[in-house]
């Protein structure tokens, strides 16, 4: 084969390879995506659409049913138990989200400092995140119901001398504390990842200019990790709005119905109380509330990010 012939063939061969590559990538892409999409549709989309369908019926979870139109949705706004559960859930979620993010950011800054056994401390602070929610809540149930009252009696603190979980006004604080203790670990990891992206030279320059640690935090640290703050806030609020396990283990919705979350009301009414269709309507409304709050968070926090940049 002559040199001219080889040169003439080379572009064609290269072009042929370029034509084949997209088809191979395309097949691989479909083989990876289609099974995941099918599972998503079967396990998520179909149940969601089925639930929306039954929200327009009087289905009890068994037996016959009839269409009732929008009556389930109308009755939701007349049900004091439903409305109280929404109020409790929103107050709990906002409080827990603030506590989790403030605590996680503080711990992350400490763990990001140059200290001994830094890796070991990071592992220790992450342990709560890998423990079972129910197990943690049951352990704290024992501590709050037995050990804490003994401390309150020894110190002469009247309101602490009995279990706060039996106090309608204080029980929710116990749930917030337990939830924050376990949820902070995950947020710490995200904040640590953000702190690793902040150049150390900025702090050195700020120190030379006489900036205090507090000034450095507000002028350097927080603006540069504002994106991570947004992620944590959205994830934390979404997770706290769906609180269920902690309440089951700590108060079971009590005293009375003072700590019933929306998720617990849906579970009790839909699977135990013969209100399947009614609670499906509640679930749809709850889904809309969570989505709207998440979008509002993203919009507000994204604007704040823009102001920092």
């Amino acid at each position: 084969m002559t040199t001219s012939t080889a040169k003439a063939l080379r572009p064609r061969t290269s072009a042929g390879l370029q034509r084949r590559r997209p088809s191979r990538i395309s097949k691989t892409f479909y083989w990876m995506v289609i099974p995941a999409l099918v599972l998503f549709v079967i396990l998520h989309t179909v149940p969601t659409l089925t639930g929306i369908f039954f929200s327009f019926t009087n289905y009890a979870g068994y037996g016959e049913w009839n269409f009732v139109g929008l009556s389930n949705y109308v009755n939701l706004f007349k049900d004091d138990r439903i409305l109280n559960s929404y109020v409790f859930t929103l107050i709990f979620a906002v409080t827990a989200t603030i506590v989790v993010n403030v605590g996680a950011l503080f711990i992350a800054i400490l763990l990001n400092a140059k200290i001994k056994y830094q890796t070991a401390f990071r592992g220790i602070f992450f342990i709560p995140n890998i423990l079972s929610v129910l197990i943690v809540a049951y352990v704290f149930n024992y501590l709050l119901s037995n050990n804490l009252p003994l401390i309150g009696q020894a110190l002469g603190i009247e309101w602490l001398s009995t279990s706060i979980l039996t106090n309608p006004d204080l029980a929710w604080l116990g749930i917030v504390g337990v939830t924050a203790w376990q949820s902070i670990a995950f947020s710490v990891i995200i904040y640590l990842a953000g702190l690793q992206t902040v150049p150390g030279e900025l702090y050195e320059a700020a120190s030379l200019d006489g900036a205090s640690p507090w000034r450095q935090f507000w002028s350097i640290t927080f603006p540069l990790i504002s994106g991570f703050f947004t992620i944590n806030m959205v994830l934390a609020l979404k997770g706290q709005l769906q609180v269920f396990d902690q309440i089951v283990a700590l108060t079971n919705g009590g005293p009375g119905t003072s700590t019933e979350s929306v998720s617990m009301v849906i579970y009790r009414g839909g699977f135990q109380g013969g209100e399947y269709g009614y609670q499906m309507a509640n679930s749809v409304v709850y889904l809309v509330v969570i989505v709207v709050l998440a979008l509002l968070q993203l919009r507000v926090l994204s604007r704040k990010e823009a102001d920092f940049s």
Side-chain angles (χ1 to χ4, degrees):
M1 182 184 295
T2 63
T3 304
S4 59
T5 306
K7 290 181 179 180
L9 290 174
R10 192 175 297 126
R12 295 180 184 178
T13 305
S14 174
L17 287 173
Q18 290 177 357
R19 282 196 297 270
R20 291 194 198 99
R21 281 175 186 166
S23 62
R24 290 179 181 176
I25 294 173
S26 179
K27 287 180 180 179
T28 304
F29 173 80
Y30 286 121
W31 276 111
M32 293 174 63
V33 171
I34 290 178
L37 180 62
V38 170
L39 287 174
F40 180 82
V41 171
I42 294 174
L43 299 177
H44 181 272
T45 307
V46 172
T48 300
L49 295 177
T50 303
I52 294 174
F53 171 81
F54 279 114
S55 70
F56 297 101
T57 70
N58 61 355
Y59 188 46
Y62 53 85
E64 298 180 353
W65 51 268
N66 297 300
F67 281 103
V68 294
L70 296 173
S71 61
N72 284 335
Y73 291 91
V74 173
N75 292 331
L76 285 176
F77 296 94
K78 300 177 182 179
D79 193 331
D80 290 337
R81 184 181 179 185
I82 297 290
L83 296 177
N84 290 336
S85 69
Y86 273 89
V87 172
F88 165 78
T89 303
L90 288 173
I91 293 175
F92 165 83
V94 171
T95 305
T97 299
I98 294 172
V99 172
V100 166
N101 279 275
V102 171
L105 185 54
F106 177 74
I107 294 173
I109 291 174
L110 293 179
L111 293 178
N112 192 56
K114 296 179 181 179
I115 57 175
K116 284 186 176 182
Y117 312 113
Q118 186 184 67
T119 304
F121 280 120
R122 290 181 181 181
I124 291 171
F125 275 100
F126 190 69
I127 288 176
N129 189 66
I130 64 177
L131 298 176
S132 168
V133 176
L134 282 174
I135 292 176
V136 169
Y138 278 122
V139 170
F140 273 94
N141 188 341
Y142 178 84
L143 296 176
L144 295 175
S145 300
N146 297 279
N147 295 35
L148 191 61
L150 293 176
I151 297 174
Q153 293 170 14
L155 297 175
I157 304 175
E158 185 177 351
W159 64 271
L160 202 59
S161 299
T162 58
S163 174
I164 63 173
L165 299 180
T166 61
N167 188 326
D169 298 323
L170 299 176
W172 73 281
L173 292 176
I175 302 171
V176 169
V178 175
T179 303
W181 182 84
Q182 188 165 36
S183 302
I184 280 176
F186 179 76
S187 298
V188 166
I189 298 301
I190 296 179
Y191 281 130
L192 277 173
L195 291 170
Q196 297 295 317
T197 64
V198 181
E201 294 81 1
L202 295 178
Y203 295 113
E204 294 176 4
S207 298
L208 293 175
D209 290 338
S212 64
W214 185 250
R215 180 65 177 173
Q216 292 179 30
F217 172 79
W218 282 112
S219 299
I220 300 174
T221 306
F222 193 75
L224 293 179
I225 65 168
S226 58
F228 297 87
F229 177 76
T230 299
I231 293 171
N232 263 337
M233 288 292 290
V234 173
L235 291 178
L237 183 63
K238 182 187 74 69
Q240 310 313 339
L241 284 172
Q242 301 176 55
V243 62
F244 180 81
D245 293 348
Q246 296 93 331
I247 295 177
V248 169
L250 289 169
T251 64
N252 200 30
T257 58
S258 60
T259 59
E260 268 192 339
S261 66
V262 179
S263 299
M264 177 165 281
V265 171
I266 292 172
Y267 172 76
R268 283 180 169 174
F271 295 98
Q272 298 178 343
E275 301 176 342
Y276 189 86
Y278 182 59
Q279 294 302 334
M280 281 299 103
N282 191 12
S283 300
V284 173
V285 173
Y286 194 37
L287 172 64
V288 173
V289 169
I290 292 176
V291 171
V292 169
L293 289 176
L295 292 176
L296 285 174
Q297 264 190 303
L298 285 171
R299 185 172 183 179
V300 172
L301 294 175
S302 296
R303 286 181 177 178
K304 294 295 181 182
E305 284 183 47
D307 294 338
F308 282 128
S309 59

